[in-house]
């Protein structure tokens, strides 16, 4: 078929279906010479559309009528422009990849409280997007849909983000809900390659210094660190989290704010859980604020959520504010942009509920279930919050941090460990039946992690074992060295799914009991069985679980949560 006849057929098929053409992605400001600006149109329909002569209008508060009243530039789409079904048209500067229509070299669109409107030949609005709505209350409602994109934005040349629809052509009639910050993709799909539906990451598989490239940052990518060691990313060390080992820090050593967005398809129903570090004790005039959000986005600079109208959070978030007068953790409903609503507020007090804490939030439709503290993985433990969201939204997981400190020496950044995202993670270790408990120095492990205690060689510690089956002749303690992840081949697996991770290779730890410590007669067990002044006389890492014969359990076995001792 000749090119001429092909064009003729396309022209014949091109129909007036303006509603299927959307503003799909755009950049109106960048950190260089404003020479990377563009608008991408997308045909979300099933037929080609002739958009010749249509106008891409720029508008601001001075706008009074189509193409009238302001000093913003307007661009006319060239003749013979047919946008095929599922295809893109990129209008912008020559430096933009895949640009189709070059309309200038730089400063093509205004930077704040503006709108971009697509009009057909009759100057009827086909699509409209308002942006930086935090700066304007008088932008004409015909210039945007729903809520304008709220937060401030600049595409940083080193990271290249854009405002993009969460999926090509996705249009619910609400700009603030339909757009999020994602990696630039002019002329190609916004749909991010699918990641695993569930992310369960304790960050131990990544060496210290690894950048978490599954997050697209506005400035600096999150980094895996040892929180106990001073480094360029950790100016103020803190103890390890309850999970131990590495954690993630989100902080720009250059100062100011930073935002990051998971490179994953948007979701509506999801769960997020993690350990976070809550710092309390800033000096006069200093502050830090951060957010961890789901099904939403935020602005480039993560402007302060409190005391400012410029923060760009959308969706649901846990947001933390700490300054010289106190600290508060809030569960927030940001909707599609604006000041947001506080769903629940938790004052954070030094020595009481600061430091490493577990946070969790799960959204299903308009139902929001959240937890503060308690056992990791357990939706019924800790402070339980059950509330309703203001609207059904689509979005991704995001993080934002901003500091208000003198220099960077007093900054802590956003510290996160054991990230569970998407859906609840399966237990990493075989964990307890209610009949079995084991503690080390008064601490017992959680579903996803053992209780970790670090001591010096020769320093005494205590173990406490308890069974609710008092007086049974078969209660006993088994030292399992070490605990093995359930994903590894277990030594013993029972038909009902019970897993006993007995290491048959590593030599078991030798425990030395100080004089006068009598070993209880476990054949006549009582609750609790205590081992006090236990000592080791060499460096070792030892793990253990209590195993009980339990006639009421299938196969008569109850297995406790794990404990781990690090002797240095």
């Amino acid at each position: 078929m000749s090119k001429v006849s092909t064009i003729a057929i396309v022209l014949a098929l091109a129909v007036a279906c303006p509603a299927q053409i959307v503003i799909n992605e755009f950049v109106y400001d960048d950190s260089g010479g404003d020479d990377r600006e563009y608008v991408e149109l997308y045909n979300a329909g099933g037929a080609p559309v002739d958009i010749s002569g249509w106008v891409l209008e720029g508008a601001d508060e001075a706008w009074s009528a189509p193409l009238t009243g302001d000093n913003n530039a307007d661009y006319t789409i060239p003749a013979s422009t047919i946008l095929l079904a599922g295809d893109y048209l990129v209008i912008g500067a020559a430096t933009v990849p895949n640009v189709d229509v070059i309309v200038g070299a730089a400063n093509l669109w205004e930077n704040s409280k503006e709108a971009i409107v697509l009009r057909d030949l009759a100057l009827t609005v086909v699509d409209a997007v308002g942006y930086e709505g935090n700066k304007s209350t008088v932008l004409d409602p015909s210039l945007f849909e729903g809520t304008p994109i709220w937060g401030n934005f600049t595409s940083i040349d080193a990271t290249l983000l854009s405002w993009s629809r969460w999926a090509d052509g996705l249009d619910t009639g609400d700009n603030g809900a339909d757009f999020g910050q994602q990696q630039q993709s002019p002329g190609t799909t916004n749909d991010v390659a699918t990641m695993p539906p569930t992310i369960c990451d304790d960050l131990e598989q990544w060496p210290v210094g690894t950048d978490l490239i599954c997050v697209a940052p506005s400035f600096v990518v999150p980094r895996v660190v040892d929180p106990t060691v001073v480094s360029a990313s950790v100016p103020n060390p803190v103890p390890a989290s309850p999970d131990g080992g590495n954690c993630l820090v989100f902080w720009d050593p250059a100062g100011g704010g930073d935002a990051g967005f998971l490179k994953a398809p948007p979701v509506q129903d999801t769960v997020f859980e993690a350990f976070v570090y809550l710092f309390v004790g800033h000096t006069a005039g200093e502050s830090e604020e951060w957010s961890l959000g789901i099904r939403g986005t935020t602005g480039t600079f993560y402007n302060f959520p409190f005391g400012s109208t410029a923060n760009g959070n959308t969706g649901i978030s846990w947001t933390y504010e700490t300054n010289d007068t106190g600290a508060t953790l809030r569960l927030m409903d940001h909707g599609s942009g604006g000041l947001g609503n506080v769903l629940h507020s938790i004052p954070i007090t030094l020595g009481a509920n600061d430091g490493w804490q577990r946070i969790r939030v799960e959204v299903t439709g308009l139902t929001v279930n959240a937890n503060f503290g308690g056992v990791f993985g357990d939706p019924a433990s800790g402070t339980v919050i059950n509330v309703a969201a203001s609207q059904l939204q689509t979005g991704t997981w995001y993080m934002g941090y901003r500091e208000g400190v003198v220099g960077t020496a007093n900054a802590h950044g956003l510290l996160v460990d054991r990230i569970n995202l998407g859906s609840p993670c399966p237990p990493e270790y075989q964990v307890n039946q209610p009949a079995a408990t084991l503690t080390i120095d008064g601490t017992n492990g959680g579903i996803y992690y053992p209780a970790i205690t670090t001591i010096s060689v020769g320093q005494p510690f205590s173990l406490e074992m308890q069974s609710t089956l008092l007086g049974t002749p078969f209660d006993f303690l088994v030292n399992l060295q070490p605990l093995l992840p359930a994903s590894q081949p277990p030594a013993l697996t029972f038909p009902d799914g019970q897993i006993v991770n007995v290491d048959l290779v590593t030599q078991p730890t030798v425990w030395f009991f100080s004089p006068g410590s009598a070993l209880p007669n476990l054949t006549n067990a009582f609750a609790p069985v205590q081992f006090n002044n236990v000592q080791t006389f060499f460096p070792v890492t030892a793990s253990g679980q209590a195993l009980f014969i339990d006639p009421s359990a299938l196969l008569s076995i109850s297995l406790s949560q794990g404990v781990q001792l690090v002797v240095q």
Side-chain angles (χ1 to χ4, degrees), residues 338-376:
L339 299 180
N341 298 314
V342 178
L343 300 177
H344 192 83
S345 182
I346 302 173
I348 304 301
T349 304
L350 183 66
N353 59 353
D354 63 332
W356 286 104
Q357 298 290 339
R358 169 238 191 179
I359 60 171
R360 182 181 186 274
V361 59
E362 182 174 2
V363 289
T364 305
L366 295 177
T367 300
V368 180
N369 299 312
N371 303 78
F372 173 72
V375 177
F376 201 101

Side-chain angles (χ1 to χ4, degrees), residues 135-193:
K135 298 176 180 177
S136 174
T137 58
V138 296
L139 194 64
D140 191 279
S142 68
L143 303 178
F144 58 88
E145 296 178 348
T147 301
I149 297 173
W150 193 260
N152 297 331
F153 170 84
T154 296
S155 177
I156 307 304
D157 285 354
T159 56
L160 296 180
L161 301 183
S162 67
W163 283 122
S164 303
R165 291 189 183 273
W166 290 116
D168 289 335
L170 176 66
D171 189 355
T172 68
D174 188 344
N175 295 159
D178 291 341
F179 284 83
Q181 285 204 62
Q182 300 187 70
Q183 288 187 304
Q184 291 184 14
S185 58
T188 61
T189 181
N190 294 353
D191 301 339
V192 180

Side-chain angles (χ1 to χ4, degrees), residues 88-154:
Y88 311 85
L89 183 77
V90 179
I91 303 165
T95 57
V96 176
N98 300 320
V99 65
D100 298 297
V101 180
I102 298 173
V103 293
N107 295 302
L108 305 181
W109 284 275
E110 298 293 330
N111 290 351
S112 66
K113 55 183 179 183
E114 315 287 336
I116 299 172
V117 183
L118 179 63
R119 297 184 182 275
D120 63 15
L121 292 175
L123 297 185
T124 301
V125 174
V126 177
D127 195 20
V129 179
Y131 53 90
E132 300 201 6
N134 70 86
K135 298 176 180 177
S136 174
T137 58
V138 296
L139 194 64
D140 191 279
S142 68
L143 303 178
F144 58 88
E145 296 178 348
T147 301
I149 297 173
W150 193 260
N152 297 331
F153 170 84
T154 296

